[in-house]
Amino acid sequence: MPEAAAPTWTITQLAEEYDVTLRTIRFYEDKGFLAPERRGSQRVFHARDRVRLGLVLRGRRLGFSLREIETIIGMYDAEPGEQGQLRYLLEQIGSRRRELEERRRDIDTTLAELAEVEGRCREDLERLGAE
């Protein structure tokens, strides 16, 4: 019985799956995150590229820099269970979480200030309308 061929994807298929542009995928390829096989002028992406693209995009959504993403993705290429790599990832997650929580506090403060100014404006408008 013949072995089933491993699944592959075109650049267009990956762009549609992850809702990104072709240019985005080429950018990550240029940065070394993806290494598609070349068949003539066509890029053929394998499962490894697909997973790596998903990790890069998730890292960007979480606010990690490309350098941080590169380090984190490196743990998937190395032996699993590397304590140093896992500690690094946990440190980065903790750092990012603290940054986001600080931003949330800043946003909450700004929203409260806006509500206060809005309330004063409405009161002044009512008072001016009554004159």
Side-chain angles (χ1 to χ4, degrees), residues 106-124:
D106 291 345
I107 290 170
D108 289 343
T109 300
T110 302
L111 287 171
E113 290 170 358
L114 285 171
E116 182 181 328
V117 170
E118 180 184 31
R120 277 191 256 141
C121 287
R122 291 187 187 285
E123 288 172 5
D124 290 348

Side-chain angles (χ1 to χ4, degrees), residues 54-65 68-69 72 89 92-93 95-100 103:
L55 291 170
V56 169
L57 295 173
R58 182 180 303 140
R60 295 301 289 162
R61 263 193 323 276
L62 294 173
F64 290 116
S65 70
E68 291 167 329
I69 292 169
I72 292 166
L89 178 57
Q92 295 307 306
I93 289 169
S95 174
R96 186 67 187 135
R97 178 176 284 126
R98 285 187 297 278
E99 289 173 16
L100 290 171
R103 283 188 194 170

Side-chain angles (χ1 to χ4, degrees), residues 29-98:
E29 180 184 353
D30 289 343
K31 294 294 182 184
F33 289 105
L34 309 174
E37 176 186 344
R38 296 286 187 150
R39 292 186 189 156
S41 64
Q42 185 179 24
R43 292 170 170 87
V44 178
F45 294 87
H46 294 276
R48 180 179 186 271
D49 296 305
R50 184 172 168 268
V51 168
R52 288 172 68 90
L53 178 59
L55 291 170
V56 169
L57 295 173
R58 182 180 303 140
R60 295 301 289 162
R61 263 193 323 276
L62 294 173
F64 290 116
S65 70
L66 289 178
R67 181 168 293 180
E68 291 167 329
I69 292 169
E70 182 178 21
T71 301
I72 292 166
I73 286 179
M75 82 179 220
Y76 290 95
D77 293 336
E79 294 258 335
E82 290 288 325
Q83 289 182 7
Q85 293 164 334
L86 294 174
R87 283 190 183 110
Y88 176 82
L89 178 57
L90 288 172
E91 288 170 12
Q92 295 307 306
I93 289 169
S95 174
R96 186 67 187 135
R97 178 176 284 126
R98 285 187 297 278

